[in-house]
Amino acid sequence: MHTDTSTEFWQARASLVTTSPDGKQIEMPDNVRLYFIAGAPHSNSWSAKSGEEAACAFPTNPLSTAPVMRALYVAMADWVSHNKAPPPSRYPSLTDGTLVSLDKLKLPKINGEVARPVFNELRVMDYSSQPPSRGKAYPVYLPAVDADGNPFGGIRMAYVQAPLGTYAGWNLRKTGFGEGELCSLTGTFIPFPRERSDADSRDPLSDRYADSEAYVAAVKRASEGLIADGFMLPDDLGYVLDRAREDSALLP
């Protein structure tokens, strides 16, 4: 079992798990499972909140992978102890178009601009000389995104299926801190606009949820689907809904 978040695709070239050095799709054996937790940063606690980091241009991503990881831990234990197969892999792929090159990534317009993030490239290194010389870059791909900028091709947690904003695995550095380079492992969260605006191509919150109850209901439906698919434990539903009630304060 192998898991990655969105940050691993930007910072750790996770696409190389399933693509060859010449950029071709690799098929996995039957006894391997790959899971991409879409939209999540590298690591967060259950109670993480979006906030500011001194060097980073955008607010941090509050998503926690805990609900999915807890379910996968149980699935792994059942696989080892009882030979019960875990859920099928959910990982972006070149084959179905959920894995794309950076130049094909279609990000939304936010605050009048379309972000131009960079990824942490990897090059063939020649260690026969010192310092080592840098050779050709490996082809690196990234998860495709929807109109909100939220990734396809993996396990979409309830907060990504019923989003309050854009959840990304990358953040960029501010002026004075290596502007434009990748910043930290915290990812990015940018709330949807409250009302429709020419400066933002994403649908506003007012068009998505009639009120806080409608939002919580959407999170509940998404959670029930994850439970049915084996990507969330029934015992964690209450916590996820409690957090949704807290987060509904973002609604108009």
Side-chain angles (χ1 to χ4, degrees), residues 5-200:
T5 68
S6 281
T7 298
E8 272 70 65
F9 277 86
W10 291 91
Q11 288 277 19
R13 316 99 171 177
S15 67
L16 292 172
V17 171
T18 59
T19 59
S20 63
D22 60 351
K24 303 291 195 307
Q25 186 69 43
I26 299 172
E27 297 303 320
M28 293 295 114
D30 291 339
N31 65 340
V32 170
R33 293 292 187 276
L34 304 177
Y35 301 112
F36 167 49
I37 306 177
H42 177 63
S43 180
N44 263 339
S45 68
W46 280 88
S47 58
K49 301 286 187 181
S50 182
E52 302 292 333
E53 282 211 352
C56 297
F58 302 106
T60 61
N61 186 329
L63 292 181
S64 171
T65 62
V68 175
M69 294 300 290
R70 280 166 51 80
L72 291 180
Y73 179 85
V74 171
M76 182 172 64
D78 286 344
W79 199 10
V80 172
S81 299
H82 307 295
N83 201 30
K84 179 183 176 183
S89 294
R90 284 198 189 178
Y91 208 80
S93 167
L94 293 172
T95 304
D96 63 11
T98 53
L99 205 56
V100 297
S101 57
L102 180 60
D103 62 309
K104 297 291 197 311
L105 193 67
K106 297 180 180 179
L107 294 172
K109 181 169 69 173
I110 301 174
N111 295 327
E113 296 183 357
V114 177
R116 301 295 180 194
V118 295
F119 61 80
N120 188 12
E121 69 171 16
L122 182 67
R123 290 184 175 271
V124 177
M125 301 297 290
D126 180 0
Y127 291 96
S128 65
S129 61
Q130 293 299 325
S133 59
R134 289 157 55 86
K136 186 178 179 182
Y138 287 92
V140 172
Y141 301 95
L142 301 159
V145 298
D146 62 18
D148 295 327
N150 290 320
F152 290 121
I155 303 166
R156 294 182 122 202
M157 292 185 289
Y159 306 129
V160 177
Q161 293 186 53
L164 291 173
T166 298
Y167 299 92
W170 54 267
N171 206 322
L172 300 178
R173 290 179 172 273
K174 291 179 180 176
T175 303
F177 295 91
E179 184 177 7
E181 295 297 321
L182 286 173
C183 188
S184 189
L185 302 175
T186 60
T188 291
F189 172 64
I190 304 177
F192 294 134
R194 288 176 170 256
E195 303 294 337
R196 190 166 296 282
S197 166
D198 290 339
D200 201 313

